[in-house]
Each structure stands twice: as structure tokens, then as C-alpha cells.
Amino acid sequence: MKITSIIARYLLGLMFTVFGLNGFLHFIHQPPPANPLATQFFVAVSASHFAAFFFAVQVLGGVLLLSGFFVPLALTMLAAELYNILAFHLTLSAGIAPALVACMLWVLVFLQYRESFNGILSAKPATQA
């Protein structure tokens, strides 16, 4: 399982780094979305500069995963990104496969680092004295 998690960490890190950088550098051509609402969404996100924040978080999370430092922080940041990606693909886009692959990779990495999330996932967290 450890080897699988390492491979998943590198693939997820590479995915988010490449697609995050693509948001700034536009080296992968994207066809226009078929749904007119998706086009309106992209225009609003681009005009408000929210996309820059979104892509910067993707690059930072991807680089952290690739480096192996602060992996729980990267997983926490990318969980929010994945939620937004899934919400977009479920409501405005036809293809959900890349989002599901990213989620599967995220879960595989999370399982290796789940001990780091014990305080967050407990029903009654320990209090400071």
C-alpha cells in the first residue's frame, strides 16, 4: 500500500502542478465548453481574478505533494479544490472522469497520511489545558 500511495502522491502532485501552471501559462489548449452556463462561469471567474487564486492553490498543493513536505497541508488545500472541481463537473460539464481519477488518487494518498488528521476527524477533540 505504501508504494501505491507514493505513486498516487506523485501522480496527483504532477496533475495539480501541470494543470495549475496551465491556468497561468496556457500551454494545453482547452476547447470551449459545450454548456453556455459553463462559459459564463469561466468568464466570471476570469474577470474577477478568482481563477488566479484557484490555480495558485493548485500549483502550491501540487508542488508540496511532489516535494513530500507538508503533505497533510497539501491534502487539505487540494480537498477544497477537488470539491470545486467535482461540483463544476457534476453541474456544468459532461465529463467527470478526470475529477473522479483525481479524487481516487487523493483518497489513496490520504489513507497513507490519515494519522495526521486524527484531531480533525475526532468527534470530541482534545482541549488545551
Side-chain angles (χ1 to χ4, degrees):
M1 182 68 180
K2 186 173 181 172
I3 299 293
T4 305
S5 175
I6 292 170
I7 292 170
R9 180 171 59 88
Y10 282 126
L11 287 175
L12 190 63
L14 188 64
M15 180 185 296
F16 275 106
T17 302
V18 168
F19 289 115
L21 286 174
N22 186 53
F24 294 113
L25 304 175
H26 307 291
F27 51 86
I28 301 172
H29 175 68
Q30 299 272 336
N35 187 343
L37 289 176
T39 303
Q40 289 178 355
F41 176 77
F42 282 134
V43 168
V45 167
S46 296
S48 68
H49 301 291
F50 177 72
F53 174 76
F54 191 74
F55 292 128
V57 171
Q58 285 184 12
V59 171
L60 179 61
V63 168
L64 289 176
L65 286 177
L66 289 173
S67 71
F69 293 106
F70 300 106
V71 173
L73 174 64
L75 288 173
T76 303
M77 292 177 1
L78 294 178
E81 295 280 333
L82 282 171
Y83 172 79
N84 285 319
I85 291 167
L86 275 174
F88 172 80
H89 283 285
L90 285 172
T91 58
L92 296 172
S93 179
I96 193 165
L100 290 178
V101 168
C103 287
M104 298 280 288
L105 291 171
W106 187 93
V107 167
L108 288 172
V109 178
F110 173 80
L111 290 175
Q112 184 69 29
Y113 290 90
R114 67 183 173 269
E115 296 294 321
S116 299
F117 295 92
N118 281 344
I120 294 173
L121 299 176
S122 62
K124 293 193 176 207
T127 58
Q128 296 290 327

